[in-house]
Amino acid sequence: MSALTPKGPYWVTVRQHRRVLWAVPAFVAAALAVTVALRMGAGDSYSEPSPVPLPDRGYDLLRLFLQSAGGALVFLPSLVGAFVAGPMTARELESGTWRLALSQSTTARAWLGAKVAVAAGVSVLGSAALVGVYRLGWGRAFGTYQLHWADRGPYQAGGPVLIAYCLLGVAAGVLVGQLVRRTLAAMAVTGLLVGLVMLALGALRWSLLPVQTVVTSLPSGSKFEGLPGSALLMDFGLVTATGGRLPADACFERTGSLYDCPADMDVTGRYVEFHPVSHYWPTQLLETSLVLALSAGLLYAAFRLVRTRRQG
């Protein structure tokens, strides 16, 4: 048992932030209890008979909970980064208490390493547990409105990319905390930085893998013929005989009909570009790799900075 007890700067870090560390498993346990209860009740229907099928109250509650939870978990990496930057790093630099740690036969790298190890360990375990809890509930409502596999929220909350972004929050937090050295300012800067990175990578997410294209001939009864029901639609329009592409409403502007195209336009069919559901895990792994690489770079810069300042 003593082998599992943290020692030195690790024990100090755990002791300093024990309340937050205990709050993480408590929060995961509460989320699990609520998810299990809602999932078990999702099959309950209205007790009063009705000739018209009525919504399932339990199912609606589960969907509402998953939508809210997915949206909240998007902000988890920024919250992790803000805590690491402020209370864990900048506050000690601002108050000067980190010098006390260095006077106890502890190096600056060991001091920072303890912060990173404790924060990263708790972030990985906590976020992985939350991903598991979310997928437990998501499996019951998968593919419904605002719970599509590619929607913002369910995408981050249901895969390893959330864990990677939490590690990014840790890396950004220890770096910004050293640079800013003011608790509230460091928290604000780190939260904003992590959020901007998530927005930027989110904008590039569906460019990591090539889209699949389906071309159908005219006339077609649907603009999305050939599109799988679970797919993520990226683009659609008209195809000419030379392989060129036109907007989907090009014929409508000329004839008032989506399916009646003038001969001079030389339209031969329609195209649909999409990502199939099979692209979910490859995209998750590619984005996770990019985020982990960025996190490693920020950590390297953080350790270089603490060593340079200590030598100076």
Side-chain angles (χ1 to χ4, degrees):
M1 189 69 177
S2 60
L4 300 178
T5 304
K7 298 179 177 60
Y10 299 92
W11 181 87
V12 174
T13 301
V14 171
R15 182 71 178 172
Q16 284 178 318
H17 307 288
R18 60 189 182 279
R19 293 181 179 177
V20 175
L21 298 182
W22 277 112
V24 173
F27 180 78
V28 172
L32 177 61
V34 172
T35 302
V36 170
L38 290 176
R39 184 181 171 99
M40 291 178 63
D44 296 338
S45 58
Y46 283 88
S47 57
E48 298 180 0
S50 173
V52 180
L54 295 174
D56 185 334
R57 287 177 176 173
Y59 186 80
D60 290 342
L61 285 175
L62 176 62
R63 287 189 65 257
L64 180 61
F65 172 73
L66 291 174
Q67 290 173 17
S68 301
L73 287 176
V74 170
F75 296 96
L76 180 62
S78 293
L79 181 62
V80 170
F83 180 79
V84 173
M88 289 193 77
T89 306
R91 185 167 64 186
E92 292 196 23
L93 295 171
E94 183 178 13
S95 62
T97 55
W98 75 295
R99 299 187 183 278
L100 177 62
L102 300 187
S103 67
Q104 306 298 317
S105 301
T106 298
T107 65
R109 289 173 64 87
W111 170 81
L112 185 63
K115 306 291 184 187
V116 172
V118 172
V122 174
S123 296
V124 168
L125 294 176
S127 58
L130 289 175
V131 168
V133 171
Y134 188 85
R135 292 195 68 86
L136 177 65
W138 190 34
R140 177 68 177 84
F142 173 81
T144 56
Y145 176 66
Q146 291 187 341
L147 290 175
H148 189 264
W149 59 270
D151 285 341
R152 186 182 300 273
Y155 173 86
Q156 288 92 339
V161 72
L162 179 66
I163 304 172
Y165 277 120
C166 286
L167 288 176
L168 176 67
V170 173
V174 294
L175 178 59
V176 174
Q178 291 185 80
L179 292 172
V180 177
R181 301 170 71 93
R182 294 292 183 271
T183 303
L184 294 179
M187 293 176 68
V189 171
T190 304
L192 179 61
L193 177 62
V194 174
L196 290 176
V197 171
M198 294 183 69
L199 286 175
L201 291 180
L204 298 174
R205 178 175 301 143
W206 303 116
S207 301
L208 298 176
L209 292 176
V211 296
Q212 293 188 7
T213 304
V214 173
V215 178
T216 57
S217 59
L218 289 177
S220 173
S222 172
K223 294 184 291 184
F224 306 136
E225 184 177 347
L227 178 70
S230 61
L232 171 64
L233 177 65
M234 300 300 295
D235 192 19
F236 63 95
L238 304 173
V239 180
T240 65
T242 60
R245 293 184 174 183
L246 299 173
D249 59 350
C251 295
F252 182 83
E253 293 178 352
R254 294 276 301 275
T255 65
S257 172
L258 291 174
Y259 312 115
D260 184 14
C261 298
D264 63 305
M265 295 180 65
D266 205 17
V267 174
T268 59
R270 298 182 181 277
Y271 74 91
V272 176
E273 291 183 344
F274 62 93
H275 284 289
V277 68
S278 60
H279 283 188
Y280 175 79
W281 285 112
T283 304
Q284 280 268 344
L285 295 178
L286 286 171
E287 186 173 354
T288 297
S289 300
L290 291 175
V291 176
L292 290 178
L294 179 58
S295 302
L298 293 177
L299 279 178
Y300 176 78
F303 278 97
R304 289 280 296 180
L305 179 62
V306 74
R307 186 176 66 177
T308 301
R309 282 189 167 176
R310 180 56 179 168
Q311 290 175 347

